[in-house]
Structure formats: structure tokens, C-alpha cells
Amino acid sequence: MAARCRFAARFHHVHGANVRLDASRTRATRVESFANGLCFSQEPLAPGQIFLVEIEEKELGWCGHLRVGLTAHDPQSLEVVPEYSLPDLVNMGDTWVFAITRSHNRVTVDGEEAPAWSPPGDPFLLIERVRIPRDTLVGRSRPGRYSHILDDLYKMNVLPATARRSRIGVLYAPQPDGTADMHIVINGEDMGPSARRLPAARPLYAVVDVFASTKSVRVIPVEYGFPSLQTLCRLVIQKHIVHRLAIDGLDLPPPLKSFCQHE
């Protein structure tokens, strides 16, 4: 099973008081304080569909980091967007949100072993019956002399989960009893079922709380099924270069160069 929809790959126009969205509604920036940074997906997620964001900017001086999860509340129905996802939105019920920390994001349940992590070379991340292309899920450093080294660290998921350019996603996987498990994915690694027995029959929106030291995030669209020609070109090019600075010297169209260097 794999979701093939991409309609939720932007933020809802309803958001916290301190959030500013760009024109495409794919980038959310908290412009004041450390709170009132709640954002939601534009549409409810489909089963197995991941809502993926990348940490764009950090802000020193605050304690705490990004928070992500799911809610059965339609953002349009909220009279007032809560100041915090934890505890305010969670206390409204039918909401499951977890704080992303520098480490210890894995979840084990009642003696179960932590889920096995597929090797970095595996092109797909498997979560129960959900199959997601891994390439887009992993953070990428900005082009530079040592970007190829940093990229490997993102692939191995050894950098802090809250590091700039880390990619964090949330999805739900339906269960045989009609409920669903919520999974959080960090740089291509499944953290396990963070919450169980979610009401899969109800619309579930992604929640992204741009909180404290996390100042800005952007939505990363995820391709399901066959990768696009653009993605295939990028993979071939990256196999033949040492680091992404070398792309500047290639005879390629500027849009493809930018895609290979930054996406």
C-alpha cells in the first residue's frame, strides 16, 4: 500500500498567530516569540501518505524544538488556533503530537523491540504495508566543500533530529481492526508507532508546531510510485560527482542544476 496523492503538500491557511506563510504556502516561519507557531496540512492525509517538512531555520535562545503529529480536528472549525500543540491542542482531544528532541525519538511499546531500520542503500522505506521512496525523506546539506560528507551523515541519521536541513514526516498506517498507528519518520528512519488506535475512519490532518528553537520549515513534496524523470536524472548525476559543487561545472539546464544541488 502506498498513497499516491500530493494534495496535502502545503500548509492550511489557518495557522498560529505568529506564523507567516509564503505565497505557495509551502514555507512556514514563526516571526515572533517562541509559541503560536501551529500549522496544519491543507487537506486530511490519505492512508500511508507522509507529510514531510524540512527544518529551514533555527533560532538560538529558546528551549524546545519542532513538534509534529496528527489531529482529527478540521483546522477550519477551530474558533481560535491554540497557542501550543502540547498541551493545548492535545487537551482538546483527538490529537496526537510529539516533541522532536535531539535524540531518543524512537518508540518501543511494552517490551517490543524497536523497528528494524532499513539500510541506507534501500531505495524504499517500509512501514507495515506502506512503501515510501527513501530519497526524498533524507535531509541534504547546502552545497559546499564538505556537503558530500554531511549528506552521508544525514543518510545514516547520526545528526541530531533537530539539526537544520533535517527532514521530519508524519503518517498513519491503517490496522486490521479499523484503527491506525501514527509513525514519525526522521531522515528516512521510522521511529516506530508513536500513537496507536487512531480513528482511521475520520479525516486526519498533519500538525506541525514551529516551536521554540525551530523558526522556519518548508514542505517537501514526496513522489510515490515511479520516480520522475527529474529525480532519475539527479540520481544518475550524483553518482558521478564527488560533491554538489561540481554540478556548477556541468553543461546542464539551470533548473536541473538547482534541483540537483538543493532538493
Side-chain angles (χ1 to χ4, degrees), residues 3 147 150 156 261:
S147 59
L150 289 173
M156 293 184 289
Q261 288 180 325

Side-chain angles (χ1 to χ4, degrees), residues 1-45:
M1 178 187 66
R4 296 179 180 271
C5 307
R6 294 180 62 175
F7 50 68
R10 62 177 179 165
F11 290 114
H12 202 285
H13 64 86
V14 174
H15 53 72
N18 288 337
V19 169
R20 296 295 179 270
L21 302 179
D22 69 355
S24 66
R25 300 217 307 266
T26 59
R27 179 169 178 168
T29 303
R30 194 188 67 254
V31 295
E32 293 182 24
S33 182
F34 63 93
N36 284 302
L38 261 176
C39 300
F40 306 92
S41 59
Q42 166 68 19
E43 301 284 348
L45 301 185

Side-chain angles (χ1 to χ4, degrees), residues 70-71 96 171-172 178-182 195-201 204:
L70 297 169
T71 183
W96 306 264
L171 60 88
Y172 69 91
T179 65
D181 289 352
M182 182 179 82
R196 295 182 185 268
R197 303 191 65 77
L198 276 65
L204 296 172

Side-chain angles (χ1 to χ4, degrees), residues 106-116 128 175 181-183 190-197:
R106 276 191 170 277
V107 176
T108 56
V109 181
D110 297 332
E112 292 183 6
E113 293 185 1
E128 300 180 25
Q175 301 300 305
D181 289 352
M182 182 179 82
H183 288 253
D190 175 25
M191 295 293 109
S194 301
R196 295 182 185 268
R197 303 191 65 77

Side-chain angles (χ1 to χ4, degrees), residues 129-182:
R129 293 187 297 145
V130 178
R131 186 170 180 260
I132 310 171
R134 186 187 295 277
D135 180 63
T136 310
L137 302 178
V138 180
R140 292 165 56 79
S141 65
R142 298 188 185 279
R145 184 183 299 274
Y146 303 107
S147 59
H148 60 297
I149 298 175
L150 289 173
D151 287 348
D152 286 341
L153 296 179
Y154 282 113
K155 290 177 183 177
M156 293 184 289
N157 203 18
V158 296
L159 295 175
T162 54
R164 185 181 286 107
R165 309 283 284 182
S166 279
R167 294 186 178 182
I168 299 167
V170 62
L171 60 88
Y172 69 91
Q175 301 300 305
D177 63 358
T179 65
D181 289 352
M182 182 179 82

Side-chain angles (χ1 to χ4, degrees), residues 168-218:
I168 299 167
V170 62
L171 60 88
Y172 69 91
Q175 301 300 305
D177 63 358
T179 65
D181 289 352
M182 182 179 82
H183 288 253
I184 292 173
V185 176
I186 299 176
N187 289 319
E189 182 178 1
D190 175 25
M191 295 293 109
S194 301
R196 295 182 185 268
R197 303 191 65 77
L198 276 65
R202 297 181 60 184
L204 296 172
Y205 293 80
V207 177
V208 178
D209 192 351
V210 188
F211 178 71
S213 67
T214 302
K215 184 174 180 63
S216 180
V217 299
R218 70 180 177 113

